[in-house]
């Protein structure tokens, strides 16, 4: 089920269970993402994640407004309930622009691409280097391991979460300061 990469990453690890292999990969990913000090990679990742979260939030808000129906004055029912005085009616924090549409579209395409690739790997129609089917017991064991690893890194997780919140606030401030392009 396993192959050795050109770099020899899996040499000597042929006897590892899928859970042990995934645990090693989880360590590597968690070490990259959750750090006490910000790294350039983490900065890029958090900035992009913040853009995706804020754009997708505006997309969801827009869909909810459209689904709520329209009042005689032209406002959506949701907007009238949440913002009865209309103070934020023209706020760029709630309006989708072309940049948001591009971010949402690109993110959805990327998610679809990853899902298709995972499906190909699971169907066995491509040469997968890892068999993604694991038993329920292995899934439970892996969940426990991941929970412990995240708990062990809880201070780094907290700092990373704080950095993400700052990124989201910065993007929101930029959104408020930019001139409408649509």
């Amino acid at each position: 089920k396993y192959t050795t990469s050109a770099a020899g990453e899996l040499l000597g690890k042929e006897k590892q269970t899928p859970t042990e292999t995934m645990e090693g990969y989880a360590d590597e990913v968690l070490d990259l993402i959750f750090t006490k000090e910000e790294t350039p990679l983490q900065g890029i990742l958090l900035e992009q994640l913040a853009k995706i979260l804020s754009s997708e939030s505006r997309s969801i808000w827009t869909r909810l407004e459209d689904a709520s129906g329209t009042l005689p004055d032209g406002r959506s029912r949701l907007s009238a309930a949440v913002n009865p005085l209309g103070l934020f009616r023209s706020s760029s924090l709630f309006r989708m622009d072309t940049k948001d549409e591009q971010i949402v579209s690109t993110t959805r395409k990327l998610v679809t691409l990853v899902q298709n690739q995972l499906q190909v790997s699971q169907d066995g129609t491509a040469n997968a280097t890892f068999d993604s089917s694991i038993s329920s017991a292995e899934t439970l064991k892996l969940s426990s391991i991941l929970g412990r690893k995240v708990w062990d890194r809880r201070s780094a997780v907290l700092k990373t979460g704080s950095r993400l919140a700052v990124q989201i606030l910065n993007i929101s401030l930029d959104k408020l300061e930019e001139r409408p392009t649509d």
Side-chain angles (χ1 to χ4, degrees):
K1 301 264 179 185
Y2 299 97
T3 61
T4 302
S5 67
E9 176 186 358
L10 298 175
L11 281 177
K13 298 182 181 179
E14 294 85 10
K15 303 281 186 207
Q16 278 189 335
T17 66
T19 305
E20 291 169 335
T21 303
M22 285 189 286
E23 182 178 356
Y25 289 144
D27 274 330
E28 291 175 17
V29 170
L30 291 173
D31 287 343
L32 286 173
I33 296 173
F34 299 116
T35 59
K36 290 185 179 183
E37 299 297 323
E38 185 172 9
T39 64
L41 175 65
Q42 185 190 66
I44 292 168
L45 179 71
L46 293 179
E47 180 183 7
Q48 296 307 311
L49 183 59
K51 286 179 182 178
I52 291 168
L53 289 172
S54 25
S55 293
E56 191 61 42
S57 296
R58 280 187 285 282
S59 173
I60 291 169
W61 177 258
T62 301
R63 287 193 313 255
L64 287 172
E65 271 191 316
D66 292 345
S68 72
T70 307
L71 296 173
D73 67 354
R75 293 178 64 195
S76 71
R77 287 187 170 115
L78 178 63
S79 181
V82 173
N83 183 19
L85 299 177
L87 298 175
F88 303 107
R89 180 182 251 180
S90 62
S91 173
S92 57
L93 280 178
F94 298 99
R95 278 193 351 261
M96 291 269 299
D97 60 14
T98 54
K99 191 172 166 183
D100 290 325
E101 290 169 4
Q102 289 173 339
I103 290 170
V104 169
S105 173
T106 303
T107 302
R108 289 182 181 159
K109 287 176 186 174
L110 183 60
V111 168
T112 301
L113 180 67
V114 169
Q115 287 173 335
N116 291 342
Q117 187 60 41
L118 287 173
Q119 185 63 40
V120 166
S121 294
Q122 289 174 351
D123 291 345
T125 54
N127 290 331
T129 58
F130 182 74
D131 180 8
S132 61
S133 59
I134 60 175
S135 69
S136 296
E138 286 175 319
T139 302
L140 186 59
K141 182 178 178 185
L142 183 62
S143 298
S144 174
I145 290 168
L146 287 174
R148 180 179 41 81
K149 288 181 181 299
V150 169
W151 180 255
D152 290 345
R153 292 172 173 83
R154 64 188 174 275
S155 64
V157 170
L158 181 62
K159 289 181 182 190
T160 301
S162 297
R163 286 191 284 271
L164 176 61
V166 167
Q167 285 288 345
I168 291 171
L169 288 173
N170 286 335
I171 287 172
S172 298
L173 287 172
D174 290 345
K175 186 86 171 158
L176 287 171
E177 290 174 351
E178 71 187 25
R179 302 244 187 253
T181 56
D182 305 328

